[in-house]
Amino acid sequence: MMLQEANALIQAIRVNLSKVIVGKEEGVDLLLTALLANGHVLLEDVPGTGKTMLAKTLARSLDCSFKRIQFTPDLLPSDLSGINYYNQKTGEFQFRPGPVFASILLADEINRATPRTQSSLLECMEERQITIDGLTHELEAPFLVIATQNPVDSQGTFPLPEAQLDRFLMRITTGYPTFDEGVHILQRFRGNNPLQDTAAVATGRDIQELQRLTAAVTVSDDLLGYMISIVEATRKAPAVKLGASPRAGFGLLRAAQGYALLRERDHVLPDDIKAVAVPVLAHRLLMQRGPGSREGQAAELVQQVLREVEVPAEPVMPARGGRVD
């Protein structure tokens, strides 16, 4: 796939999202970046701000299997993975797959389920497989988990454990719309729901090819060192109890590559790393004052790290003929 072809495909997906989603350009770009980087996304915001609508619009834009499951306190791990049941007609046990056997899984309000059910997604998200009754099942490719959650201080929520948060490539917060955006939303939805008219513009194979191109985006050794310096700085900060993991460093690399491809480039710039550092790193940090203060303080700390860590000189990248190999 040529770089120009990749850009056209990404733009088609972005246009599809803009037909339903008003504003939220930064959140949309980060969501597409995670898709390109083959990473999972945690959408966190107050109820009613369009988290589920954003996830469903992306799913409608891709010709892939899609499942949505509403997380509740009584949800069991088997409700996600599926079960082996006894078929009286055949006299044999048969496997009934759960919603994780889909290319795109929308885990709505994930923090309303118990930690036991939350942890059932760990193997799926990291290894793209799931083990049921001792038998391992491979999941479809591409496989993307888009989880939504209300703020952790909302009533009836169970905070996600650190191991679970570390599986999400990004945590994205879009916030309330502006006045003009609010008016535009009402105008757009006062008739039919535009989501119903949204058609797929890319296939699963297209997404896999884009993900392959993302992994081939060039990153200089100086920028690799810059990323590690940022990750290590989060571990040394006095306000941090638990810093960014090696998985976070790899996630920062992939996200920067995806953001560069989103910006129609075949090489990473320091600005790409800065653009994705907060959504990639902040949710992985455990602050000294406890989980309740994680999000705001952690984001501020990552911003401070970005100001303090020296940015390497931008290398001159050779021309590559418009192709990412």
Side-chain angles (χ1 to χ4, degrees):
M1 179 183 289
M2 297 292 290
L3 184 59
Q4 293 85 350
E5 296 172 336
N7 295 334
L9 189 58
I10 294 170
Q11 184 62 24
I13 299 174
R14 183 189 275 117
V15 169
N16 234 28
L17 290 170
S18 67
K19 293 178 181 178
V20 179
I21 305 301
V22 177
K24 304 183 186 294
E25 287 85 2
E26 181 180 357
V28 168
D29 282 352
L30 291 175
L31 180 60
L32 292 178
T33 297
L35 177 66
L36 296 174
N38 196 19
H40 309 294
V41 175
L42 180 64
L43 298 175
E44 180 176 323
D45 236 319
V46 296
T49 51
K51 302 184 298 294
T52 302
M53 182 66 71
L54 177 58
K56 291 174 70 174
T57 305
L58 177 63
R60 282 290 189 97
S61 301
L62 308 179
D63 188 16
C64 302
S65 57
F66 168 71
K67 295 289 178 63
R68 174 188 180 274
I69 187 164
Q70 182 70 45
F71 278 61
T72 56
D74 59 348
L75 190 71
L76 299 176
S78 58
D79 295 328
L80 292 172
S81 61
I83 59 172
N84 287 306
Y85 72 99
Y86 182 73
N87 190 326
Q88 294 183 344
K89 292 183 178 180
T90 62
E92 297 177 347
F93 280 93
Q94 294 183 354
F95 177 63
R96 178 182 297 159
V100 296
F101 289 88
S103 286
I104 301 178
L105 173 64
L106 173 56
D108 219 355
E109 295 186 302
I110 188 173
N111 59 338
R112 291 202 178 277
T114 61
R116 178 189 176 194
T117 301
Q118 293 174 6
S119 63
S120 66
L121 286 174
L122 290 176
E123 182 184 9
C124 305
M125 296 173 68
E126 180 64 20
E127 303 175 37
R128 266 65 175 185
Q129 66 181 32
I130 188 167
T131 303
I132 304 169
D133 294 339
L135 183 62
T136 299
H137 303 265
E138 297 292 332
L139 299 179
E140 293 184 37
F143 177 66
L144 171 67
V145 174
I146 303 177
T148 69
Q149 74 168 4
N150 298 323
V152 293
D153 56 351
S154 297
Q155 185 175 2
T157 60
F158 299 87
L160 297 178
E162 285 72 25
Q164 183 82 52
L165 287 170
D166 204 28
R167 261 60 174 193
F168 287 101
L169 175 65
M170 289 187 182
R171 170 184 167 269
I172 302 173
T173 302
T174 56
Y176 285 114
T178 64
F179 176 84
D180 291 338
E181 290 172 348
V183 173
H184 195 180
I185 290 172
L186 296 183
Q187 292 173 339
R188 181 169 295 183
F189 284 85
R190 64 183 169 188
N192 295 328
N193 187 340
L195 180 63
Q196 305 301 324
D197 300 325
T198 302
V201 295
T203 65
R205 183 168 295 182
D206 291 332
I207 300 305
Q208 288 180 277
E209 182 67 9
L210 288 174
Q211 291 172 346
R212 187 191 70 81
L213 292 176
T214 297
V217 169
T218 303
V219 188
S220 69
D221 289 342
D222 287 343
L223 289 184
L224 293 178
Y226 178 55
M227 295 181 199
I228 295 302
S229 296
I230 293 172
V231 171
E232 289 187 343
T234 66
R235 302 170 187 166
K236 298 175 182 178
V240 176
K241 183 177 181 180
L242 183 65
S245 67
R247 184 187 288 116
F250 181 74
L252 187 59
L253 167 63
R254 279 288 182 261
Q257 289 175 304
Y259 198 83
L261 187 62
L262 195 70
R263 296 303 182 212
E264 304 183 7
R265 280 184 276 102
D266 61 359
H267 60 278
V268 170
L269 301 179
D271 286 345
D272 300 323
I273 301 172
K274 293 180 180 180
V276 300
V278 171
V280 169
L281 299 178
H283 68 283
R284 305 171 191 263
L285 305 183
L286 181 61
M287 308 303 290
Q288 290 287 1
R289 296 185 180 180
S293 59
R294 174 189 289 129
E295 288 76 13
Q297 292 186 8
E300 293 175 4
L301 186 137
V302 175
Q303 293 283 12
Q304 178 182 346
V305 166
L306 293 176
R307 291 191 295 268
E308 295 177 352
V309 175
E310 184 179 357
V311 181
E314 183 178 330
V316 178
M317 304 304 298
R320 303 184 59 179
R323 179 184 291 272
V324 181
D325 297 321

